[in-house]
């Protein structure tokens, strides 16, 4: 089941001549991301030998899905930086400080989509603007559509999971420390992880 049109002339012709999949059209609507069943996190190499993983416990967002014209779909996410959690209090405090995110001055990390493309099957690439510390740069997120379901409370849900890689220095996250054995304490490359469950808003 496709959510987004391929960005090609061939796809445009196919969209114009083929009937809309009723199951796809039924997805059309506005959705609210369910933070209790979603996760936004990251993985970064520490001391050149292991990975540190963390999540942002507080976030909110919305999806607009257009099943009849999937290219019109969009996404918006706001993440509260102060909610960062790596499981180590001192490390979390350092990440919130001016050395890293400066959560007091820049409380939110945001993503606003600008376009989307189908890569094949249920795999997609959503491109948009990621803002951290008032620095905005383009970001592409590779996603897999996990399907739809009606939960025990009657909510219509859609699910996505995906990831993206960034160089944190491009968003002003430049703190580091040299190791005696060579290399640095924290890798510049960070993997962002998304596991999203969203509920369709009432008409």
């Amino acid at each position: 089941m496709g959510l987004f049109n391929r960005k090609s002339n061939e796809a445009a012709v196919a969209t114009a001549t083929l009937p809309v999949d009723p199951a796809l059209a039924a997805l059309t609507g506005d959705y609210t991301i369910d933070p209790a069943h979603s996760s936004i996190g990251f993985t970064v190499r520490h001391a050149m030998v292991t990975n540190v993983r963390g999540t942002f416990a507080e976030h909110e967002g919305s999806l607009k899905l257009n099943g009849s014209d999937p290219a019109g779909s969009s996404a918006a996410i706001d993440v509260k930086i102060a909610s960062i959690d790596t499981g180590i209090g001192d490390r979390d405090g350092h990440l919130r400080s001016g050395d890293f995110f400066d959560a007091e001055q820049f409380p939110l990390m945001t993503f606003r989509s600008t376009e989307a493309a189908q890569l094949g099957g249920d795999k997609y690439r959503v491109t948009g603007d990621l803002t951290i510390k008032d620095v905005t740069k383009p970001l592409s997120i590779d996603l897999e559509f996990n399907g739809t379901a009606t939960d025990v409370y009657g909510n219509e849900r859609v699910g996505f999971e995906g990831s993206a890689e960034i160089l944190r220095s491009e968003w002003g996250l430049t703190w580091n420390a040299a190791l005696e054995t060579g290399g640095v304490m924290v890798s510049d490359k960070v993997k962002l992880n998304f596991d999203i469950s969203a509920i369709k808003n009432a008409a």
Side-chain angles (χ1 to χ4, degrees):
M1 182 185 298
L3 287 182
F4 304 102
N5 291 333
R6 292 182 184 276
K7 299 186 68 179
S8 68
N9 292 334
E10 180 180 345
V13 171
T15 301
T17 58
L18 294 178
V20 175
D21 183 342
L24 178 61
L27 296 179
T28 296
D30 295 327
Y31 293 75
T32 299
I33 293 175
D34 176 11
H37 297 94
S38 300
S39 176
I40 297 175
F42 60 89
T43 305
V44 61
R45 182 77 72 180
H46 176 262
M48 310 295 290
V49 297
T50 189
N51 290 317
V52 167
R53 294 175 174 82
T55 59
F56 296 93
E58 297 181 42
H59 53 82
E60 60 184 20
S62 61
L63 309 175
K64 180 182 285 293
L65 301 183
N66 188 329
S68 298
D69 182 15
S73 300
S74 60
I77 301 174
D78 294 336
V79 176
K80 188 174 180 180
I81 293 297
S83 71
I84 196 167
D85 182 6
T86 65
I88 304 294
D90 287 346
R91 180 167 58 206
D92 295 343
H94 191 198
L95 289 169
R96 296 185 191 105
S97 76
D99 282 346
F100 284 95
F101 287 104
D102 196 356
E104 185 173 345
Q105 184 174 356
F106 306 104
L108 291 179
M109 173 173 62
T110 66
F111 177 78
R112 300 290 185 268
S113 68
T114 56
E115 61 180 296
Q118 186 177 12
L119 302 179
D122 288 334
K123 298 184 184 299
Y124 308 88
R125 178 167 294 150
V126 177
T127 299
D129 295 323
L130 176 67
T131 300
I132 305 173
K133 297 180 72 173
D134 277 358
V135 176
T136 301
K137 290 184 174 292
L139 175 71
S140 293
I141 304 171
D142 287 344
L143 293 167
E144 183 170 357
F145 176 52
N146 288 338
T148 66
T150 301
D151 66 23
V152 295
Y153 302 105
N155 298 313
E156 296 180 54
R157 291 180 178 267
V158 294
F160 298 87
E161 62 180 309
S163 62
E165 286 190 352
I166 67 170
L167 298 178
R168 61 188 178 90
S169 59
E170 294 185 352
W171 279 266
L173 303 173
T174 57
W175 183 92
N176 226 322
L179 301 175
E180 292 184 2
T181 53
V184 293
M185 182 70 74
V186 185
S187 172
D188 191 24
K189 184 168 67 176
V190 180
K191 182 178 180 180
L192 303 177
N193 307 300
F194 304 86
D195 199 342
I196 302 297
S197 178
I199 297 173
K200 192 173 188 179
N201 298 346

